Amino acid sequence: MTPFPITPYPPIERHGVIGDRRTAALVAADGALDWLCLPDYDGAPVFGALLDAGRGGAWRLGPAAVALGEQRYLDDSAALVTTWALTGGTLELTDAMARPGDDRPPGDEGHRVVLRRLRCTHGAAACALAIRPRDDFVRPAAIAPAPGGLALTVGDRALGLWASCPLTMDEDGASAAFHLREGEEAWAVLALGEPPAAWTVDRAQAALDAAAAYWRAWLRQLTYTGPRGERVRRSALAVHLLSYAPAGSLVAAPTTSLPERIGGDRNYDYRFAWVRDASLSMAILALLGDTGTARRYMDWLAGLDSSTDAPLQVAYRIGGGTDLTQRERPDLAGYRASRPVRVGNHAFSQRQLDSLGYLADCALVYLEQGGVWRDEYWALVRRVADYTAANWARPDSGIWELPGEQQHYVSSKVMSWVALERAVRIAERTDHEAETAGWRAALGAIHAEVLARGWSDQLGAFRQRYGADTLDAAALLIPVMGFLPADDARVLATADRVAASLTVDGLVHRFVAGETPGQGDLPLGAFEGAFLPCHFWLATTYAMAGRADDAEALLARAEATLGAVGLFAEEIDARSGAFLGNYPLLFAQVEYVRAVLELAKARPLDKARLMVGMLGQRVGRALGRGQGDE
């Protein structure tokens, strides 16, 4: 096998993401598309060099000599631009996926189209295209000439490759070598379910323009008018990009097995829909003005089955399937030798009581923002509340999905309280208050127990779990979710203890591994990276407590790790600044937006701007019943 001309295992943060709300591709800054699953997020990879540079396959388009460029997104869109400033000229690669809308014409839903345009904007440059598809890392594509380009058979998937430059078939794929001068461009399109003859330069340009127009139109419905507007829009767009249009669900991340520690084994598959992550995302989108997407998510949830005793299991396949059985791929090298690579996720069968609290919170936000309410939504909320009232006192696996014996995690008790408190408030708004007596009794019992057993005098903070003086940043959910006010002395003591004990170089970690069963004994910052949702919880807590400067410092610290692409991974190595974990992470993007919103409320001028925007949103809904609601 001839060596493939790509950068092996480029830094996670040196990637941008493109998608069509059915699947997504990672494009490295050297122009290599090194991750793409087809037909959907959880399908088998066609390009997987991100996890095995030798066997995974990739598709590079860019300068002839492999080099990392600079990446950004095109205006308010999900079209990714990679630029190389070379000795003799400047090249600009634009990548996007076609047709990201909710609805497609009959017969078109199974199509997936990657659009690539390489343009010389100054001088001249030698350029190259090299493509090597693989079926799930193992089997090379069968390649044959076809009218207009090449036909690629990758397992049971038929793809067409069209390019505006001549392609040469080789033993592993296809390639092209060409020159571009200022003003010239080359196009390439890879399409699942479409022959290469279907494509021309004009059609490819029209598809790229239409995709960019879709993203811009979607963003225009958002009503946020506060600070950090560009970053908030980028986070919102990332959330929308990670949705699964055919069902209304959202994927936690489009990747699997990107490591929480380089060389470590904390490598998991996030290509599924977690009820927690998706609910948070829908609540944030509703707050920003998009209740239509939240309605589609509520419709999806209301029709789900569960393979557990809970009304909803922790995570689902993006189409609603309940089986996420986990297996390992010992044949794969892993990102920078981080093994094993995993497919599937064991968390789906766990009991995580906190998950249902996020759902109830999302439902309340959706309702308060003027979303259309349906009887089936109430039926789901009622099942969630009934289950929570009957089971909150049981141990569970907790928000971190830790292995081993289940525990009485404080954050799980808090989120059980949230599930019931939000259900009561929804009942009051929808004429179901008569059904809430049992939930109100459980609310009081949970609150009293957490205050009695969740607080540790020795720790000077709320603990991770009953009976152990272990600090966990998940205790910050107490103020974030309204269990106690943020200016409560115990809350502030906990926040300051997290800042003092779980922070490395200004970035917040989850917990100290050696104090948590089954998590090893590596020191803080060596076991795993700083966990960004926790970092943003601390910023949110400080903002809610009126400590705006502290919140601002935390947000600025996290933003300093971002490039122009503006996407967050799961974690950051505080020592090097490198991204860790799956990317981009839905959970991190939405908790960033929550922190920004809370900080805006904490500052009078920003709060005034925010309130004006929200008022305009509500007036618009009163006049037009909310764009996209029906």
Side-chain angles (χ1 to χ4, degrees), residues 221-224 285-291 368-370 611-622 626:
Q221 73 179 304
L222 303 187
T223 57
Y224 180 71
L285 289 187
L287 285 171
L288 294 177
D290 179 16
T291 57
E368 289 180 335
Q369 295 304 308
M611 293 303 105
V612 167
M614 293 177 68
L615 177 61
Q617 169 186 327
R618 288 173 179 167
V619 169
R621 287 215 179 89

Side-chain angles (χ1 to χ4, degrees), residues 554-619:
L554 286 162
L555 286 178
R557 178 66 183 92
E559 290 165 346
T561 68
L562 291 174
V565 171
L567 299 176
F568 289 110
E570 183 177 8
E571 300 180 0
I572 297 174
D573 186 333
R575 300 162 298 180
S576 67
F579 281 10
L580 295 170
N582 286 304
Y583 171 84
L585 187 75
L586 198 65
F587 199 179
Q589 298 293 158
V590 297
E591 290 297 354
Y592 169 75
V593 175
R594 188 208 298 268
V596 170
L597 294 175
E598 288 299 335
L599 181 55
K601 294 177 188 175
R603 290 175 164 158
L605 282 178
D606 290 341
K607 183 176 182 180
R609 292 167 59 197
L610 193 63
M611 293 303 105
V612 167
M614 293 177 68
L615 177 61
Q617 169 186 327
R618 288 173 179 167
V619 169

Side-chain angles (χ1 to χ4, degrees), residues 345-391:
N345 197 297
H346 65 87
F348 82 98
S349 61
Q350 289 184 343
R351 180 166 63 248
Q352 294 180 29
L353 295 169
D354 72 292
S355 179
L356 300 177
Y358 293 100
L359 164 59
D361 185 65
C362 168
L364 178 61
V365 171
Y366 169 75
L367 181 61
E368 289 180 335
Q369 295 304 308
V372 176
W373 191 255
R374 295 184 171 142
D375 290 342
E376 51 265 41
Y377 303 166
W378 172 249
L380 176 60
V381 170
R382 184 175 58 230
R383 293 198 304 273
V384 163
D386 286 343
Y387 177 85
T388 301
N391 290 276

Side-chain angles (χ1 to χ4, degrees), residues 9-257:
Y9 309 112
I12 295 169
E13 64 270 19
R14 297 304 303 273
H15 286 83
V17 181
I18 60 173
D20 64 356
R21 301 179 56 235
R22 288 144 180 93
T23 190
L26 268 64
V27 181
D30 66 350
L33 196 160
D34 56 12
W35 184 256
L36 174 64
C37 298
L38 291 175
D40 298 323
Y41 295 107
D42 55 355
V46 170
F47 302 115
L50 186 64
L51 294 183
D52 194 318
R55 304 177 63 193
W59 178 16
R60 192 177 75 85
L61 181 59
V66 178
L68 294 175
E70 297 298 325
Q71 293 185 303
R72 62 180 175 85
Y73 280 102
L74 181 64
D75 301 329
D76 280 339
S77 80
L80 179 70
V81 178
T82 307
T83 304
W84 294 268
L86 307 170
T87 301
T90 302
L91 290 175
E92 182 182 272
L93 173 66
T94 302
D95 285 302
M97 291 190 72
R99 301 192 284 274
D102 286 346
D103 300 316
R104 290 182 172 182
D108 186 58
E109 182 50 54
H111 295 184
R112 307 287 183 265
V113 178
V114 178
L115 307 162
R116 314 197 78 183
R117 182 188 68 196
L118 185 64
R119 173 180 289 171
C120 182
T121 60
H122 174 74
C127 306
L129 178 154
I131 186 169
R132 181 184 288 168
R134 287 288 181 270
D135 178 25
D136 201 16
F137 299 96
V138 177
R139 293 166 292 277
I143 304 178
L150 300 176
L152 288 68
T153 303
V154 187
D156 59 356
R157 293 157 292 180
L159 299 117
L161 175 64
W162 169 84
S164 64
C165 57
L167 295 169
T168 301
M169 294 171 50
D170 57 43
E171 59 178 330
D172 297 308
S175 60
F178 53 96
H179 279 76
L180 291 178
R181 294 181 176 84
E182 186 172 339
E184 295 179 336
E185 61 187 27
W187 282 86
V189 175
L190 183 67
L192 173 67
E194 297 185 32
W199 289 92
T200 64
V201 169
D202 287 345
R203 187 187 176 200
Q205 182 67 63
L208 177 61
D209 291 343
Y214 169 85
W215 296 109
R216 290 172 185 145
W218 181 83
L219 279 172
R220 281 196 295 272
Q221 73 179 304
L222 303 187
T223 57
Y224 180 71
T225 58
R228 291 178 162 87
E230 183 175 348
R231 291 196 186 278
V232 168
R233 288 193 300 274
R234 176 55 52 193
S235 288
L237 192 144
V239 170
H240 194 53
L241 186 148
L242 294 176
S243 63
Y244 183 61
S249 58
L250 294 97
V251 67
T255 57
T256 179
S257 302

Side-chain angles (χ1 to χ4, degrees), residues 362-447:
C362 168
L364 178 61
V365 171
Y366 169 75
L367 181 61
E368 289 180 335
Q369 295 304 308
V372 176
W373 191 255
R374 295 184 171 142
D375 290 342
E376 51 265 41
Y377 303 166
W378 172 249
L380 176 60
V381 170
R382 184 175 58 230
R383 293 198 304 273
V384 163
D386 286 343
Y387 177 85
T388 301
N391 290 276
W392 70 266
R394 299 173 67 187
D396 74 341
S397 297
I399 187 173
W400 306 133
E401 302 171 350
L402 300 176
E405 185 178 353
Q406 294 181 339
Q407 305 282 340
H408 289 283
Y409 291 103
V410 170
S411 62
S412 294
K413 309 301 183 187
V414 169
M415 292 307 298
S416 293
W417 179 90
V418 170
L420 295 169
E421 197 268 349
R422 294 339 185 235
V424 167
R425 288 165 65 184
I426 291 170
E428 292 170 347
R429 284 175 165 265
T430 58
D431 297 325
H432 292 282
E433 192 170 2
E435 303 175 41
T436 65
W439 307 343
R440 292 176 185 273
L443 270 175
I446 297 170
H447 206 273

